[in-house]
């Protein structure tokens, strides 16, 4: 099996866009946490504390999503360097590791989105329950 130097370069645009999306999610959640903390300081509501705990887990997952996304990009660039130095077998393994990191990042992203959807359904169920009454 041979691997061209252009193949790892294909990950650049995809990984860059994914990292941008992860950063946007992180910034949005961080802003929500700041607002909820301010609200919690004013009135100590247990549901707000649970929501902050949920968001804290999501922030941790986003940090790992970013970590594996950056590792994927790093390994992709490193793989290109190794391929440039004509170390074909090493380049193939490094590129494979890059793909694995990207898969892990996407898997964690799916987990984080699942948590987000569950939290939103809890909010919606409160709304739907109040409309039934």
């Amino acid at each position: 099996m041979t691997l061209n130097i252009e193949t790892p370069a294909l990950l650049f645009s995809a990984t860059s866009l994914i990292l941008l999306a992860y950063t946007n999610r992180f910034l949005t959640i961080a802003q929500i946490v700041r607002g909820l903390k301010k609200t919690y300081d004013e009135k100590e509501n247990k549901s707000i504390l649970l929501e902050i705990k949920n968001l804290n887990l999501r922030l941790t997952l986003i940090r790992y999503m970013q970590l594996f996304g950056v590792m994927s990009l790093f390994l992709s660039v490193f793989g290109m360097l190794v391929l440039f130095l004509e170390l074909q077998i090493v380049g193939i393994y490094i590129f494979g590791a890059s793909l694995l990191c990207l898969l892990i990042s996407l898997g964690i992203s799916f987990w984080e989105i699942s948590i987000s959807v569950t939290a939103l359904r809890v909010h919606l169920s409160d709304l739907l329950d109040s409309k039934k009454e």
Side-chain angles (χ1 to χ4, degrees), residues 19-131:
L19 289 173
L20 180 63
Y22 292 169
T23 301
N24 287 338
R25 290 185 73 79
F26 178 84
L27 293 173
T28 301
I29 292 173
Q31 184 177 5
I32 293 169
V33 167
R34 287 185 187 100
L36 285 174
K37 183 182 180 323
K38 185 178 178 182
T39 305
Y40 180 78
D41 288 342
E42 293 169 1
K43 51 181 178 181
E44 294 184 10
N45 187 338
K46 186 178 179 181
S47 66
I48 293 174
L49 194 59
L50 290 173
E51 204 167 334
I52 290 172
K53 190 175 181 180
N54 178 293
L55 291 170
N56 187 41
L57 172 61
R58 290 177 57 199
L59 287 171
T60 301
L61 291 175
I62 291 171
R63 182 179 64 206
Y64 285 114
M65 289 160 39
Q66 289 174 324
L67 172 74
F68 282 104
V70 168
M71 283 299 298
S72 174
L73 190 58
F74 175 83
L75 289 171
S76 184
V77 172
F78 189 62
M80 288 176 62
L81 175 66
V82 169
L83 289 171
F84 179 75
L85 297 173
E86 297 182 5
L87 299 169
Q88 189 68 219
I89 298 298
V90 177
I92 290 170
Y93 283 113
I94 291 173
F95 182 62
S98 173
L99 292 175
L100 181 63
C101 285
L102 185 57
L103 279 173
I104 292 169
S105 177
L106 293 171
I108 296 170
S109 175
F110 181 76
W111 182 13
E112 191 270 333
I113 289 169
S114 299
I115 291 171
S116 173
V117 168
T118 302
L120 287 173
R121 285 193 175 141
V122 168
H123 282 293
L124 290 176
S125 70
D126 291 346
L127 179 66
L128 293 174
D129 289 343
S130 67
K131 281 194 171 192

